[in-house]
């Protein structure tokens, strides 16, 4: 999916982020996040305050990793791309 043509984006509402379809204004799923980033293909990075950890969600709101496992991020800069590594504790 082309990122520029995607209609699903995180929106800040009432103190947290939710994913909505910007054309229909409908929520994608009923989960709220402290941090939420746009989808890249079928995955998006989120921060869950309840577990105090990062995770990846799919377009149905399913977590890709066990909750509480990814405690931090480490970003590495490369001349052609940015690489994010997860830190587990």
């Amino acid at each position: 999916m082309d990122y520029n043509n995607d209609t699903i984006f995180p929106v800040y509402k009432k103190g947290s982020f939710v994913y909505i379809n910007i054309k229909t204004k409908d929520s994608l799923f009923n989960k709220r996040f402290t941090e939420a980033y746009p989808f890249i293909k079928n995955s998006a990075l989120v921060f869950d305050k309840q577990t105090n950890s990062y995770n990846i969600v799919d377009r149905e709101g399913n977590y890709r990793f066990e909750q509480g496992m990814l405690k931090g991020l480490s970003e590495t800069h490369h001349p052609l791309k940015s690489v994010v590594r997860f830190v587990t504790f």
Side-chain angles (χ1 to χ4, degrees):
M1 175 173 277
D2 183 2
Y3 173 78
N4 294 323
N5 294 325
D6 201 350
T7 60
I8 307 300
F9 285 96
V11 175
Y12 194 74
K13 287 184 174 183
K14 299 180 183 177
S16 59
F17 286 93
V18 295
Y19 283 93
I20 67 162
N21 183 316
I22 59 172
K23 287 188 178 181
T24 65
K25 307 294 186 219
D26 293 330
S27 292
L28 199 58
F29 43 80
N30 289 327
K31 291 184 181 172
R32 303 180 79 80
F33 305 101
T34 305
E35 294 177 38
Y37 298 89
F39 277 93
I40 298 175
K41 295 187 180 181
N42 291 317
S43 301
L45 177 66
V46 296
F47 184 81
D48 181 22
K49 190 174 184 176
Q50 289 181 335
T51 61
N52 197 37
S53 64
Y54 287 91
N55 214 317
I56 304 292
V57 293
D58 63 20
R59 290 178 181 265
E60 284 78 44
N62 300 311
Y63 291 108
R64 300 273 176 130
F65 297 99
E66 181 181 331
Q67 288 182 282
M69 186 175 140
L70 307 175
K71 296 293 185 179
L73 299 176
S74 173
E75 186 174 8
T76 303
H77 294 284
H78 182 277
L80 302 176
K81 59 185 174 183
S82 182
V83 177
V84 175
R85 292 182 173 90
F86 291 103
V87 178
T88 59
F89 293 52

Coordinates of all heavy atoms in Angstrom, one line a residue:
M1 N 0.8 -1.2 0.0 CA 0.0 0.0 0.0 C 0.9 1.2 0.0 O 1.9 1.3 0.7 CB -0.9 0.0 1.2 CG -1.7 1.2 1.3 SD -3.0 1.2 2.7 CE -4.2 0.3 1.8
D2 N 0.5 2.2 -0.8 CA 1.3 3.5 -0.9 C 0.9 4.3 0.3 O -0.2 4.7 0.6 CB 0.9 4.2 -2.2 CG 1.7 5.5 -2.4 OD1 2.5 5.8 -1.5 OD2 1.4 6.1 -3.4
Y3 N 1.9 4.7 1.1 CA 1.8 5.5 2.3 C 1.0 6.8 2.0 O 0.1 7.2 2.8 CB 3.1 5.8 2.9 CG 3.1 6.8 4.1 CD1 2.7 6.4 5.3 CD2 3.4 8.1 3.9 CE1 2.6 7.2 6.4 CE2 3.4 9.0 5.0 CZ 3.0 8.6 6.2 OH 2.9 9.4 7.3
N4 N 1.3 7.4 0.9 CA 0.6 8.7 0.6 C -0.9 8.5 0.2 O -1.6 9.5 0.3 CB 1.3 9.4 -0.6 CG 2.7 9.8 -0.2 OD1 3.0 10.2 0.9 ND2 3.7 9.6 -1.1
N5 N -1.3 7.3 -0.1 CA -2.7 7.1 -0.4 C -3.5 6.4 0.7 O -4.7 6.2 0.5 CB -2.8 6.3 -1.7 CG -2.3 7.0 -2.9 OD1 -2.4 8.2 -3.0 ND2 -1.7 6.3 -3.8
D6 N -2.8 6.1 1.8 CA -3.5 5.5 2.9 C -4.6 6.4 3.5 O -4.4 7.6 3.6 CB -2.5 5.1 4.0 CG -3.0 4.0 4.9 OD1 -4.2 3.6 4.8 OD2 -2.2 3.4 5.6
T7 N -5.7 5.9 4.0 CA -6.7 6.7 4.6 C -6.8 6.4 6.1 O -7.6 7.0 6.8 CB -8.1 6.3 4.0 OG1 -8.4 5.0 4.1 CG2 -8.1 6.7 2.5
I8 N -6.0 5.5 6.6 CA -6.0 5.2 8.1 C -4.8 6.0 8.7 O -3.7 5.8 8.4 CB -5.8 3.7 8.3 CG1 -6.9 2.9 7.5 CG2 -5.9 3.4 9.8 CD1 -8.3 3.3 7.9
F9 N -5.2 6.8 9.7 CA -4.1 7.6 10.4 C -4.5 7.7 11.9 O -5.6 7.6 12.3 CB -4.0 9.0 9.9 CG -3.3 9.1 8.5 CD1 -4.1 9.1 7.4 CD2 -2.0 9.1 8.5 CE1 -3.4 9.1 6.1 CE2 -1.3 9.2 7.3 CZ -2.0 9.2 6.1
P10 N -3.4 7.8 12.7 CA -3.7 8.1 14.2 C -4.1 9.5 14.4 O -3.6 10.4 13.8 CB -2.3 7.8 14.8 CG -1.3 8.1 13.7 CD -2.0 7.7 12.4
V11 N -5.1 9.7 15.2 CA -5.7 11.0 15.6 C -5.7 11.1 17.1 O -6.2 10.2 17.8 CB -7.1 11.2 14.9 CG1 -7.7 12.5 15.3 CG2 -7.0 11.1 13.4
Y12 N -5.3 12.3 17.6 CA -5.3 12.5 19.0 C -6.7 13.0 19.5 O -7.2 14.0 19.0 CB -4.3 13.6 19.4 CG -4.0 13.7 20.9 CD1 -3.2 12.7 21.5 CD2 -4.5 14.7 21.6 CE1 -2.9 12.7 22.8 CE2 -4.2 14.8 23.0 CZ -3.4 13.8 23.6 OH -3.1 13.9 24.9
K13 N -7.4 12.2 20.3 CA -8.7 12.5 20.8 C -8.8 12.2 22.3 O -8.5 11.1 22.7 CB -9.8 11.6 20.1 CG -10.1 12.0 18.7 CD -11.2 11.1 18.2 CE -11.6 11.5 16.8 NZ -12.8 10.7 16.4
K14 N -9.3 13.2 23.1 CA -9.5 13.0 24.5 C -8.4 12.4 25.2 O -8.5 11.4 26.0 CB -10.8 12.2 24.7 CG -12.0 12.8 24.1 CD -13.2 12.0 24.3 CE -14.4 12.7 23.7 NZ -15.7 11.9 23.8
G15 N -7.2 12.9 25.0 CA -6.0 12.4 25.8 C -5.2 11.2 25.3 O -4.3 10.8 25.9
S16 N -5.6 10.7 24.1 CA -4.9 9.5 23.6 C -5.1 9.4 22.1 O -6.0 10.1 21.5 CB -5.3 8.2 24.3 OG -6.6 8.0 24.1
F17 N -4.3 8.5 21.4 CA -4.4 8.4 20.0 C -5.4 7.2 19.7 O -5.3 6.2 20.3 CB -3.1 8.1 19.4 CG -2.2 9.3 19.3 CD1 -1.3 9.6 20.3 CD2 -2.3 10.2 18.2 CE1 -0.5 10.7 20.2 CE2 -1.5 11.3 18.1 CZ -0.6 11.6 19.2
V18 N -6.1 7.4 18.6 CA -7.0 6.3 18.0 C -6.7 6.3 16.5 O -6.3 7.3 16.0 CB -8.5 6.5 18.3 CG1 -8.8 6.4 19.8 CG2 -9.0 7.8 17.7
Y19 N -6.9 5.2 15.9 CA -6.8 5.1 14.5 C -8.1 5.3 13.8 O -9.1 4.6 14.2 CB -6.2 3.7 14.1 CG -4.7 3.7 14.3 CD1 -4.2 3.2 15.5 CD2 -3.8 4.2 13.4 CE1 -2.8 3.1 15.8 CE2 -2.4 4.2 13.6 CZ -2.0 3.6 14.8 OH -0.6 3.6 15.1
I20 N -8.2 6.2 12.8 CA -9.5 6.4 12.1 C -9.2 6.4 10.6 O -8.1 6.6 10.2 CB -10.1 7.7 12.5 CG1 -9.3 8.9 12.1 CG2 -10.4 7.8 14.0 CD1 -10.1 10.2 12.1
N21 N -10.3 6.1 9.9 CA -10.3 6.3 8.5 C -10.6 7.7 8.2 O -11.7 8.2 8.6 CB -11.4 5.4 7.9 CG -11.4 5.4 6.4 OD1 -11.3 6.5 5.8 ND2 -11.5 4.3 5.7
I22 N -9.7 8.5 7.6 CA -9.9 9.9 7.5 C -11.0 10.3 6.5 O -11.5 11.4 6.5 CB -8.6 10.7 7.2 CG1 -8.0 10.2 5.9 CG2 -7.7 10.6 8.3 CD1 -6.8 11.0 5.4
K23 N -11.4 9.3 5.6 CA -12.5 9.6 4.7 C -13.8 9.4 5.3 O -14.8 10.2 5.1 CB -12.3 8.7 3.4 CG -11.2 9.2 2.5 CD -11.2 8.4 1.3 CE -10.1 8.9 0.4 NZ -10.1 8.2 -0.9
T24 N -14.0 8.3 6.1 CA -15.3 8.0 6.7 C -15.4 8.5 8.1 O -16.5 8.6 8.7 CB -15.5 6.5 6.7 OG1 -14.6 5.9 7.6 CG2 -15.5 5.9 5.3
K25 N -14.3 8.9 8.8 CA -14.2 9.3 10.2 C -14.5 8.2 11.2 O -14.7 8.4 12.3 CB -15.2 10.5 10.5 CG -15.0 11.7 9.5 CD -13.7 12.3 9.7 CE -13.6 13.6 8.9 NZ -12.3 13.8 8.3
D26 N -14.6 6.9 10.7 CA -14.9 5.8 11.6 C -13.6 5.3 12.2 O -12.5 5.4 11.6 CB -15.4 4.6 10.8 CG -16.8 4.9 10.2 OD1 -17.5 5.7 10.8 OD2 -17.1 4.3 9.1
S27 N -13.7 4.9 13.5 CA -12.6 4.3 14.2 C -12.3 3.0 13.6 O -13.2 2.2 13.2 CB -12.9 4.1 15.7 OG -13.0 5.4 16.3
L28 N -11.0 2.6 13.5 CA -10.6 1.4 13.0 C -10.8 0.2 14.0 O -11.2 -0.9 13.6 CB -9.1 1.4 12.6 CG -8.6 0.4 11.6 CD1 -9.4 0.4 10.3 CD2 -7.1 0.6 11.3
F29 N -10.5 0.5 15.2 CA -10.7 -0.5 16.3 C -10.7 0.3 17.6 O -10.4 1.5 17.7 CB -9.6 -1.6 16.4 CG -8.2 -1.1 16.1 CD1 -7.5 -0.5 17.2 CD2 -7.6 -1.2 14.9 CE1 -6.2 0.0 17.0 CE2 -6.3 -0.7 14.7 CZ -5.6 -0.2 15.7
N30 N -11.1 -0.4 18.7 CA -11.4 0.3 20.0 C -10.2 0.2 20.9 O -10.4 -0.1 22.1 CB -12.6 -0.3 20.7 CG -13.9 0.1 20.0 OD1 -14.0 1.2 19.4 ND2 -14.8 -0.8 20.0
K31 N -9.0 0.6 20.5 CA -7.8 0.7 21.4 C -7.3 2.1 21.3 O -7.4 2.7 20.3 CB -6.8 -0.3 20.9 CG -7.2 -1.8 21.1 CD -6.1 -2.7 20.8 CE -6.5 -4.1 21.0 NZ -5.6 -5.1 20.5
R32 N -6.8 2.5 22.5 CA -6.3 3.9 22.6 C -4.8 3.8 23.0 O -4.4 2.9 23.7 CB -7.1 4.7 23.6 CG -8.5 4.8 23.2 CD -9.3 5.6 24.2 NE -9.2 7.0 24.0 CZ -9.8 7.7 23.0 NH1 -10.7 7.1 22.2 NH2 -9.6 9.0 22.9
F33 N -4.0 4.7 22.5 CA -2.5 4.6 22.7 C -2.0 6.0 23.2 O -2.5 7.0 22.7 CB -1.8 4.2 21.5 CG -2.3 2.9 20.9 CD1 -3.2 2.9 19.9 CD2 -2.0 1.7 21.5 CE1 -3.7 1.7 19.4 CE2 -2.5 0.5 21.0 CZ -3.3 0.5 19.9
T34 N -0.9 6.0 23.9 CA -0.2 7.2 24.3 C 0.6 7.7 23.1 O 0.7 9.0 22.9 CB 0.8 6.9 25.5 OG1 0.1 6.3 26.5 CG2 1.5 8.1 26.0
E35 N 1.2 6.9 22.3 CA 1.8 7.2 21.1 C 1.3 6.3 20.0 O 1.1 5.1 20.2 CB 3.4 7.0 21.2 CG 4.1 7.9 22.1 CD 5.6 7.6 22.2 OE1 6.2 7.3 21.1 OE2 6.1 7.7 23.3
A36 N 1.2 6.9 18.8 CA 0.7 6.1 17.6 C 1.3 6.7 16.4 O 1.3 7.9 16.2 CB -0.8 6.0 17.6
Y37 N 1.8 5.8 15.5 CA 2.4 6.3 14.3 C 1.7 5.7 13.1 O 1.0 4.7 13.2 CB 3.9 5.8 14.2 CG 4.6 6.5 15.4 CD1 4.7 5.8 16.6 CD2 5.2 7.7 15.2 CE1 5.4 6.4 17.7 CE2 5.9 8.3 16.3 CZ 5.9 7.7 17.5 OH 6.6 8.3 18.6
P38 N 1.8 6.4 11.9 CA 1.1 5.9 10.7 C 1.4 4.5 10.3 O 2.5 4.0 10.6 CB 1.5 6.9 9.6 CG 2.0 8.1 10.3 CD 2.6 7.6 11.6
F39 N 0.5 3.8 9.7 CA 0.8 2.5 9.2 C 1.8 2.5 8.0 O 1.7 3.4 7.2 CB -0.5 1.8 8.7 CG -1.4 1.2 9.8 CD1 -2.4 2.0 10.4 CD2 -1.1 -0.1 10.2 CE1 -3.1 1.4 11.4 CE2 -1.9 -0.6 11.2 CZ -2.9 0.1 11.8
I40 N 2.6 1.5 8.0 CA 3.5 1.2 6.9 C 3.1 -0.2 6.4 O 3.2 -1.1 7.2 CB 5.0 1.3 7.3 CG1 5.3 2.7 7.7 CG2 5.8 0.8 6.1 CD1 6.7 2.9 8.2
K41 N 2.4 -0.2 5.3 CA 1.8 -1.4 4.8 C 0.7 -1.8 5.8 O -0.2 -1.1 6.0 CB 2.8 -2.5 4.5 CG 3.7 -2.2 3.4 CD 4.6 -3.3 3.0 CE 5.5 -2.9 1.8 NZ 6.3 -3.9 1.3
N42 N 0.9 -3.0 6.5 CA -0.1 -3.4 7.5 C 0.3 -3.3 8.9 O -0.4 -4.0 9.8 CB -0.5 -4.9 7.1 CG -1.3 -4.9 5.8 OD1 -2.1 -4.1 5.5 ND2 -0.9 -5.9 5.0
S43 N 1.3 -2.6 9.2 CA 1.8 -2.5 10.6 C 2.0 -1.0 11.0 O 2.4 -0.2 10.2 CB 3.1 -3.2 10.8 OG 2.9 -4.6 10.4
A44 N 1.7 -0.8 12.3 CA 2.0 0.6 12.9 C 2.6 0.4 14.3 O 2.2 -0.5 15.1 CB 0.7 1.3 13.0
L45 N 3.5 1.3 14.6 CA 4.1 1.4 15.9 C 3.3 2.1 16.9 O 2.8 3.2 16.6 CB 5.5 2.1 15.8 CG 6.3 2.3 17.1 CD1 6.7 0.9 17.6 CD2 7.5 3.1 16.8
V46 N 3.1 1.6 18.1 CA 2.3 2.2 19.1 C 3.0 2.1 20.5 O 3.8 1.2 20.7 CB 0.9 1.6 19.2 CG1 0.1 1.8 18.0 CG2 0.9 0.1 19.6
F47 N 2.6 3.0 21.4 CA 3.1 2.9 22.8 C 1.8 2.7 23.7 O 0.9 3.5 23.6 CB 3.9 4.1 23.2 CG 4.4 3.9 24.6 CD1 5.6 3.2 24.8 CD2 3.7 4.5 25.7 CE1 6.1 3.1 26.1 CE2 4.3 4.4 27.0 CZ 5.4 3.7 27.2
D48 N 1.8 1.6 24.5 CA 0.7 1.3 25.3 C 1.1 1.7 26.8 O 2.0 1.1 27.3 CB 0.4 -0.2 25.2 CG -0.7 -0.6 26.1 OD1 -1.6 0.2 26.4 OD2 -0.8 -1.8 26.4
K49 N 0.3 2.6 27.3 CA 0.6 3.1 28.7 C 0.4 2.1 29.7 O 1.1 2.0 30.7 CB -0.2 4.4 29.0 CG 0.2 5.1 30.2 CD -0.6 6.4 30.4 CE -0.1 7.1 31.6 NZ -0.8 8.4 31.7
Q50 N -0.6 1.2 29.5 CA -0.9 0.2 30.5 C 0.2 -0.8 30.7 O 0.5 -1.2 31.9 CB -2.2 -0.6 30.1 CG -3.5 0.2 30.2 CD -4.7 -0.6 29.8 OE1 -4.6 -1.6 29.1 NE2 -5.8 -0.2 30.4
T51 N 0.9 -1.2 29.7 CA 2.0 -2.1 29.8 C 3.4 -1.3 29.8 O 4.4 -2.0 29.9 CB 2.0 -3.1 28.7 OG1 2.1 -2.4 27.4 CG2 0.8 -3.9 28.7
N52 N 3.3 0.0 29.6 CA 4.5 0.8 29.5 C 5.5 0.2 28.5 O 6.7 0.1 28.8 CB 5.2 0.9 30.9 CG 6.2 2.1 31.0 OD1 5.9 3.1 30.4 ND2 7.2 1.9 31.7
S53 N 5.0 -0.1 27.3 CA 5.9 -0.7 26.3 C 5.4 -0.3 24.9 O 4.2 0.0 24.7 CB 5.9 -2.2 26.5 OG 4.6 -2.8 26.3
Y54 N 6.3 -0.5 23.9 CA 5.9 -0.3 22.5 C 5.4 -1.6 22.0 O 5.7 -2.7 22.6 CB 7.2 0.1 21.7 CG 7.6 1.5 22.0 CD1 8.5 1.8 23.0 CD2 7.0 2.6 21.2 CE1 8.8 3.2 23.2 CE2 7.4 3.9 21.4 CZ 8.3 4.2 22.4 OH 8.6 5.5 22.7
N55 N 4.7 -1.6 20.9 CA 4.3 -2.8 20.2 C 4.0 -2.4 18.7 O 4.0 -1.2 18.4 CB 3.1 -3.4 20.8 CG 3.0 -4.9 20.7 OD1 3.4 -5.4 19.7 ND2 2.7 -5.5 21.8
I56 N 3.7 -3.4 18.0 CA 3.3 -3.2 16.6 C 1.8 -3.7 16.5 O 1.5 -4.8 17.0 CB 4.2 -4.0 15.6 CG1 5.6 -3.6 15.7 CG2 3.7 -3.9 14.2 CD1 6.0 -2.3 15.3
V57 N 1.0 -2.9 15.9 CA -0.4 -3.4 15.7 C -0.7 -3.6 14.2 O -0.1 -2.9 13.4 CB -1.5 -2.5 16.3 CG1 -1.4 -2.4 17.8 CG2 -1.4 -1.1 15.7
D58 N -1.6 -4.5 13.9 CA -2.0 -4.6 12.5 C -3.3 -3.8 12.3 O -3.8 -3.1 13.2 CB -2.2 -6.1 12.1 CG -3.3 -6.8 12.9 OD1 -4.2 -6.1 13.5 OD2 -3.3 -8.1 12.9
R59 N -3.9 -3.8 11.2 CA -5.0 -3.0 10.8 C -6.3 -3.4 11.5 O -7.3 -2.8 11.5 CB -5.2 -2.9 9.3 CG -4.1 -2.1 8.7 CD -4.3 -2.0 7.2 NE -3.2 -1.2 6.6 CZ -3.2 0.1 6.3 NH1 -4.3 0.8 6.6 NH2 -2.2 0.7 5.9
E60 N -6.3 -4.6 12.2 CA -7.4 -5.0 13.0 C -7.2 -4.7 14.5 O -8.0 -5.1 15.3 CB -7.6 -6.5 12.8 CG -8.3 -6.9 11.5 CD -7.3 -6.8 10.3 OE1 -6.2 -7.3 10.5 OE2 -7.7 -6.3 9.3
G61 N -6.0 -4.2 14.9 CA -5.8 -3.8 16.3 C -5.1 -5.0 17.0 O -4.9 -4.9 18.2
N62 N -4.7 -6.0 16.4 CA -4.0 -7.1 17.0 C -2.5 -6.8 17.2 O -1.9 -6.2 16.3 CB -4.1 -8.4 16.1 CG -5.5 -8.8 15.9 OD1 -6.3 -8.9 16.8 ND2 -5.8 -9.0 14.6
Y63 N -2.0 -7.1 18.4 CA -0.6 -6.9 18.7 C 0.2 -8.0 18.0 O -0.1 -9.1 18.0 CB -0.3 -6.9 20.2 CG -0.9 -5.7 20.9 CD1 -2.0 -5.9 21.8 CD2 -0.4 -4.5 20.8 CE1 -2.6 -4.8 22.5 CE2 -0.9 -3.4 21.5 CZ -2.0 -3.6 22.3 OH -2.5 -2.5 23.0
R64 N 1.4 -7.6 17.5 CA 2.3 -8.5 16.9 C 3.2 -9.2 17.9 O 3.8 -10.2 17.6 CB 3.1 -7.8 15.8 CG 2.3 -7.2 14.7 CD 2.0 -8.2 13.6 NE 1.2 -7.6 12.6 CZ 1.4 -7.7 11.3 NH1 2.5 -8.2 10.9 NH2 0.6 -7.1 10.5
F65 N 3.5 -8.5 19.0 CA 4.4 -9.0 20.0 C 3.7 -9.2 21.3 O 2.6 -8.5 21.6 CB 5.6 -8.1 20.2 CG 6.5 -7.9 19.0 CD1 6.3 -6.8 18.2 CD2 7.4 -8.9 18.7 CE1 7.1 -6.7 17.0 CE2 8.2 -8.8 17.5 CZ 8.0 -7.7 16.7
E66 N 4.2 -10.0 22.2 CA 3.6 -10.2 23.5 C 3.7 -8.8 24.2 O 4.7 -8.1 24.2 CB 4.5 -11.2 24.3 CG 4.0 -11.4 25.7 CD 4.9 -12.4 26.4 OE1 5.5 -13.3 25.8 OE2 4.9 -12.3 27.7
Q67 N 2.6 -8.4 24.8 CA 2.5 -7.1 25.5 C 3.5 -7.0 26.6 O 3.7 -8.0 27.4 CB 1.1 -6.8 26.0 CG 0.1 -6.6 24.9 CD -1.3 -6.3 25.4 OE1 -2.0 -7.2 25.8 NE2 -1.6 -5.0 25.5
G68 N 4.1 -5.8 26.7 CA 5.1 -5.6 27.8 C 6.5 -6.0 27.4 O 7.5 -5.8 28.2
M69 N 6.7 -6.6 26.2 CA 8.0 -7.1 25.8 C 9.0 -6.0 25.3 O 10.2 -6.0 25.6 CB 7.8 -8.2 24.8 CG 9.1 -8.9 24.4 SD 8.6 -10.2 23.2 CE 10.0 -10.1 22.1
L70 N 8.5 -5.1 24.5 CA 9.3 -4.1 23.9 C 9.3 -2.8 24.7 O 8.4 -2.0 24.6 CB 8.8 -3.8 22.5 CG 8.6 -5.1 21.6 CD1 8.0 -4.7 20.3 CD2 10.0 -5.7 21.4
K71 N 10.4 -2.6 25.5 CA 10.4 -1.5 26.4 C 11.0 -0.2 25.9 O 10.9 0.9 26.5 CB 11.2 -1.9 27.7 CG 10.5 -3.0 28.5 CD 9.2 -2.5 29.0 CE 8.5 -3.6 29.9 NZ 7.3 -3.1 30.5
G72 N 11.7 -0.2 24.8 CA 12.3 1.0 24.3 C 12.7 0.8 22.8 O 12.6 -0.2 22.2
L73 N 13.1 2.0 22.3 CA 13.5 2.0 20.9 C 14.9 2.5 20.7 O 15.3 3.4 21.5 CB 12.6 2.9 20.1 CG 11.1 2.6 20.0 CD1 10.4 3.7 19.3 CD2 10.9 1.2 19.4
S74 N 15.6 2.1 19.8 CA 17.0 2.6 19.5 C 17.0 2.9 18.0 O 16.8 2.0 17.2 CB 18.0 1.5 19.8 OG 19.3 2.0 19.4
E75 N 17.2 4.1 17.6 CA 17.2 4.5 16.2 C 18.7 4.6 15.7 O 19.5 5.2 16.3 CB 16.5 5.8 16.0 CG 16.3 6.1 14.5 CD 15.4 7.3 14.3 OE1 15.1 8.0 15.3 OE2 15.1 7.6 13.1
T76 N 18.9 4.0 14.5 CA 20.2 4.1 13.9 C 20.0 4.8 12.5 O 19.1 4.5 11.8 CB 20.8 2.7 13.6 OG1 20.8 2.0 14.8 CG2 22.1 2.7 12.9
H77 N 20.9 5.8 12.3 CA 20.7 6.6 11.0 C 21.7 6.0 10.0 O 22.8 5.6 10.2 CB 21.1 8.0 11.3 CG 20.1 8.7 12.2 ND1 18.9 9.1 11.7 CD2 20.2 9.0 13.5 CE1 18.2 9.6 12.7 NE2 19.0 9.6 13.8
H78 N 21.1 5.9 8.8 CA 21.8 5.3 7.7 C 21.6 6.3 6.5 O 20.6 7.0 6.5 CB 21.2 4.0 7.3 CG 21.8 3.3 6.1 ND1 21.5 3.6 4.8 CD2 22.8 2.3 6.1 CE1 22.2 2.8 4.0 NE2 23.0 2.0 4.8
P79 N 22.6 6.5 5.6 CA 22.4 7.5 4.6 C 21.2 7.4 3.8 O 20.6 8.4 3.3 CB 23.7 7.4 3.7 CG 24.6 6.6 4.5 CD 23.9 5.8 5.5
L80 N 20.7 6.2 3.6 CA 19.5 6.0 2.7 C 18.2 5.6 3.5 O 17.2 5.6 2.9 CB 19.8 4.8 1.7 CG 21.1 5.1 0.8 CD1 21.3 3.9 0.0 CD2 20.9 6.3 0.0
K81 N 18.3 5.3 4.7 CA 17.1 4.9 5.5 C 17.3 5.1 7.0 O 18.5 5.2 7.4 CB 16.7 3.5 5.2 CG 17.7 2.5 5.5 CD 17.3 1.1 5.0 CE 18.5 0.1 5.3 NZ 18.1 -1.2 4.8
S82 N 16.3 5.1 7.7 CA 16.3 5.1 9.2 C 15.9 3.7 9.7 O 15.0 3.1 9.2 CB 15.4 6.1 9.7 OG 15.5 6.2 11.1
V83 N 16.7 3.2 10.6 CA 16.5 1.8 11.1 C 16.1 1.9 12.6 O 16.8 2.6 13.4 CB 17.7 0.9 11.0 CG1 17.5 -0.4 11.6 CG2 18.1 0.8 9.5
V84 N 15.0 1.3 13.0 CA 14.6 1.3 14.4 C 14.8 -0.1 14.9 O 14.3 -1.1 14.3 CB 13.1 1.8 14.5 CG1 12.7 1.7 16.0 CG2 12.9 3.2 14.0
R85 N 15.4 -0.2 16.1 CA 15.6 -1.4 16.8 C 14.8 -1.4 18.1 O 14.9 -0.4 18.8 CB 17.1 -1.7 17.0 CG 17.9 -1.9 15.8 CD 19.3 -2.2 16.1 NE 20.1 -2.6 14.9 CZ 20.7 -1.8 14.1 NH1 20.7 -0.5 14.4 NH2 21.3 -2.2 13.1
F86 N 14.2 -2.5 18.4 CA 13.5 -2.6 19.7 C 14.4 -3.0 20.8 O 15.3 -3.9 20.6 CB 12.3 -3.5 19.6 CG 11.2 -3.0 18.7 CD1 11.0 -3.5 17.4 CD2 10.4 -2.0 19.2 CE1 10.0 -3.0 16.6 CE2 9.4 -1.5 18.3 CZ 9.2 -2.0 17.1
V87 N 14.2 -2.5 22.0 CA 15.0 -2.9 23.1 C 14.1 -3.7 24.1 O 13.0 -3.2 24.5 CB 15.6 -1.6 23.8 CG1 16.4 -2.0 25.1 CG2 16.4 -0.8 22.9
T88 N 14.5 -4.9 24.5 CA 13.8 -5.6 25.4 C 14.5 -5.6 26.8 O 15.7 -5.6 26.8 CB 13.6 -7.1 25.0 OG1 14.8 -7.7 24.8 CG2 12.7 -7.1 23.7
F89 N 13.8 -5.6 27.8 CA 14.4 -5.6 29.2 C 14.0 -6.8 29.9 O 12.9 -7.2 29.9 CB 14.0 -4.4 30.0 CG 14.5 -3.1 29.4 CD1 14.3 -2.8 28.1 CD2 15.2 -2.2 30.2 CE1 14.8 -1.6 27.5 CE2 15.6 -1.0 29.7 CZ 15.5 -0.7 28.4

